[in-house]
Amino acid sequence: MNWIAILLALGVMALLGLVFGIVLSFAAKKFQVDVDERVANVRAALPGANCGACGYVGCDAFAEAVVAGKTPPNGCRAGGAGAAAAIGEALGIEVTPAAPMVACVICQGTAGVAKDRYKYDGYRSCRVAASLSGGPKECRFACIGLGDCAYNCKFGAITMRDGIAYIDKNICAGCGTCAGICPRRVIELKPLNAQVLVRCRNSDVAREARSVCTRACIGCGRCVKECAYDAIHVEDGFARIDSAKCARCGKCVTVCPCKCITLAGAAQDLLESARNNAAV
Amino acid sequence: MMSEATGIVKILLFMVSCVFTSNYIFSQFLGICPFLGVSNKVETAVGMGLAVTFVMGLASLFTWVIYRFVLLTLGLEYLRTISFILVIAALVQFVEMFLKKSSPSLYKALGIYLPLITTNCAVLAVTLMNIDGAYNLLYSVLNGVFSAIGFLVAIVLMAGVRERLETANILKPLRGFSINLVIAGLMSIAFMGFSGLVK
């Protein structure tokens, strides 16, 4: 065996490696970029999914913005309370986690409740149907129900039931993809604890609203009078509930003549019964 | 007359052949990974092309010197592949540090594809072809730089096409990489027109 050749090869490669290593270590010193230690710490506390739900291009950008004070430290939706606590630890401050959000369908226009304008038999997409003569339902604010939101939900939280979307609050991560994709803007992000919702946003005058859907908000204001906490106001022809003031007493639900205010959980039961009726 | 071509004309012809006739992407099919990965925007494509040009030029220089004066004199020619990879890796590391300092936005835009220049087979290919073609130092460096400019031309052309594709109405099964590969194939056929340009 030619030991000299083997040692020579080893020596040459080791020497080359050594030379490059020394040059690179000098270059690393010369081109060193100073990173704010706090940015690195905050970055380490984030999930690193670069989902963009915070409104920044990625976790690095969000971390920089948090340290610079441009955005509240509880802004990471994907990380939730865990990330908020870790960021608080990294920065040495108290961070209160943001209220978890869920997507809510602001419509109850199931088949038979909302009137059909025509029978749509085309490509199964809300965005396509919405552009065809005002959409297949008479109400121009109604959920079209062809499932663009369900198709685009990354978590499988949305199913189409009886002509409108149904969102499972236990699965929904509050990413807001469905709210952005809906051509009717019928899905809104609401705090998870906002249990009382006005599930209509028809801003037409009462007679017109009522003529297209039996569950349409007509802006009568009975809920406003009933509310003892000044949480409900009628604007643009339909009622809105301020979830920060709402005490979840449920009185508005009982007085609403159109049954368009719902308590959490009740909406689901309603849909179930509607489906059973349809099946019979 | 070709036979009376002076040294300068010869060098010019060599450059043209590096960029067009034997384009690394379109006629030798090397370096396809960054070509497809970083060609979605003209700006980053130019950055990638320039980074590859820098690495290829310097790699050609260093590998030629190392091969000629170290490996050849010691009779260790068989070590050329592994030692060239070492040179390229060190150069890429250097470029990465330099970009991080001088142009953080380009550094972020190139992302993972920057360290992947190390495994860009076009870079290794150019250094090995310098040896196989028995080029002298000048031709080795010219081969490195102008082959890389061929890569730059290819990736920038592709990025220009892909920017337009963003708004084009493409059949659903063809969207994404399928249409990109079809376009790369068509561009490759177009580049076949350059063959025979340089004898």
Side-chain angles (χ1 to χ4, degrees):
Chain A
M1 204 182 284
N2 190 349
W3 285 104
I4 295 172
I6 293 174
L7 288 177
L8 196 62
L10 268 178
V12 166
M13 288 310 292
L15 199 70
L16 280 178
L18 189 71
V19 170
F20 286 130
I22 290 171
V23 170
L24 278 183
S25 66
F26 273 111
K29 274 264 169 60
K30 182 143 174 62
F31 293 116
Q32 193 171 26
V33 181
D34 293 321
V35 180
D36 192 336
E37 213 174 272
R38 292 177 302 162
V39 175
N41 289 344
V42 171
R43 175 65 187 79
L46 295 170
N50 295 320
C51 67
C54 54
Y56 288 89
V57 286
C59 294
D60 286 313
F62 176 72
E64 273 170 33
V66 166
V67 171
K70 286 181 197 157
T71 187
N74 60 8
C76 180
R77 269 198 223 156
I87 291 169
E89 204 172 296
L91 293 177
I93 54 168
E94 191 75 20
V95 177
T96 48
M101 305 286 269
V102 286
C104 299
V105 180
I106 310 296
C107 180
Q108 296 188 99
T110 49
V113 173
K115 274 191 196 144
D116 286 338
R117 191 194 305 274
Y118 54 83
K119 185 164 166 32
Y120 181 73
D121 199 19
Y123 183 66
R124 308 293 294 170
S125 162
C126 304
R127 275 168 292 176
V128 176
S131 63
L132 184 61
S133 165
K137 282 176 182 168
E138 283 283 1
C139 177
R140 59 195 174 98
F141 304 92
C143 172
I144 293 167
L146 293 173
D148 282 11
C149 49
Y151 181 74
N152 284 288
C153 181
K154 292 174 196 129
F155 305 94
I158 309 180
T159 45
M160 306 314 293
R161 293 188 185 177
D162 207 31
I164 65 166
Y166 166 75
I167 300 174
D168 189 334
K169 282 189 180 180
N170 299 319
I171 305 175
C172 178
C175 67
T177 305
C178 50
I181 212 105
C182 179
R184 285 287 166 83
R185 297 280 177 267
V186 90
I187 301 179
E188 287 177 16
L189 283 180
K190 299 272 185 195
L192 184 57
N193 59 5
Q195 288 154 325
V196 190
L197 284 177
V198 180
R199 295 187 64 211
C200 181
R201 43 193 291 281
N202 190 323
S203 60
D204 287 338
V205 294
R207 193 164 50 81
E208 275 177 34
R210 198 60 198 260
S211 71
V212 295
C213 179
T214 56
R215 287 266 160 84
C217 177
I218 55 176
C220 64
R222 281 171 74 175
C223 49
V224 179
K225 280 180 205 137
E226 196 64 31
C227 185
Y229 307 94
D230 190 35
I232 312 185
H233 296 281
V234 174
E235 285 168 44
D236 307 330
F238 62 96
R240 293 172 214 222
I241 298 178
D242 183 348
S243 64
K245 287 181 183 168
C246 176
R248 291 94 167 113
C249 66
K251 275 188 186 156
C252 51
V253 180
T254 56
V255 297
C256 179
C258 309
K259 297 192 175 55
C260 60
I261 307 183
T262 60
L263 272 168
Q268 189 183 350
D269 301 340
L270 194 80
L271 278 174
E272 290 295 335
S273 66
R275 205 150 63 135
N276 293 341
N277 290 343
V280 167
Chain B
M1 300 277 282
M2 283 304 288
S3 56
E4 289 167 15
T6 56
I8 302 221
V9 172
K10 251 186 183 171
I11 288 173
L12 282 175
L13 283 176
F14 182 71
M15 291 172 182
V16 171
S17 89
C18 286
V19 177
F20 296 110
T21 319
S22 55
N23 187 292
Y24 266 74
I25 300 285
F26 290 137
S27 57
Q28 306 196 40
F29 309 114
L30 294 163
I32 302 294
C33 163
F35 171 69
L36 290 174
V38 200
S39 60
N40 42 10
K41 262 169 71 186
V42 170
E43 204 184 354
T44 49
V46 171
M48 186 69 185
L50 290 178
V52 168
T53 308
F54 183 78
V55 172
M56 267 202 194
L58 279 185
S60 297
L61 176 69
F62 281 114
T63 52
W64 192 88
V65 170
I66 285 171
Y67 185 79
R68 178 71 183 76
F69 294 107
V70 180
L71 300 184
L72 211 56
T73 40
L74 295 174
L76 295 171
E77 291 94 337
Y78 62 92
L79 281 181
R80 65 178 192 176
T81 305
I82 190 168
S83 56
F84 289 2
I85 290 174
L86 187 66
V87 173
I88 293 165
L91 277 172
V92 170
Q93 191 66 45
F94 181 80
V95 171
E96 197 177 344
M97 286 180 209
F98 179 75
L99 275 187
K100 200 173 180 181
K101 177 85 176 175
S102 61
S103 171
S105 57
L106 183 59
Y107 176 78
K108 271 184 193 157
L110 291 176
I112 183 68
Y113 290 99
L114 187 53
L116 277 183
I117 298 176
T118 315
T119 54
N120 185 341
C121 48
V123 182
L124 184 62
V126 84
T127 58
L128 292 176
M129 279 178 191
N130 287 338
I131 307 302
D132 288 343
Y135 293 148
N136 61 23
L137 183 59
L138 174 69
Y139 272 80
S140 292
V141 174
L142 283 179
N143 189 24
V145 170
F146 283 91
S147 294
I149 287 176
F151 176 85
L152 177 78
V153 168
I155 197 171
V156 170
L157 286 178
M158 185 68 176
V161 173
R162 280 183 66 178
E163 279 191 353
R164 293 220 164 183
L165 278 186
E166 290 287 313
T167 51
N169 188 13
I170 302 161
L171 280 180
K172 211 170 183 184
L174 282 176
R175 273 178 208 163
F177 270 106
S178 332
I179 193 78
N180 290 341
L181 287 170
V182 170
I183 288 164
L186 290 175
M187 289 168 93
S188 173
I189 292 171
F191 264 68
M192 275 172 70
F194 287 116
S195 62
L197 187 68
V198 179
K199 288 261 160 51

